[in-house]
Amino acid sequence: MSSSEKTVLQRLVSVCATVAFAVFLLWLAVWLLRQIWGWLLLILLIAVVVAVIVVVVHVRRNSWFR
């Protein structure tokens, strides 16, 4: 059926189905993020610690060779 043959009710159903699917995907993304937020914070903390160590070692190494 082409889009010009769709009735108003069919178009409304299509729009509602699209909106429902988008809402479901958003809910799924939020649910997954809430499941792994602790791991994400741990990874972020490790990355910050490694970055600080790299900067400190770099600064100290540069000051030793001056």
Side-chain angles (χ1 to χ4, degrees), residues 26-40:
L26 182 63
W27 172 83
L28 183 64
V30 169
W31 181 79
L32 285 172
L33 187 64
R34 293 181 84 190
Q35 297 300 314
I36 62 172
W37 72 271
W39 291 107
L40 290 175

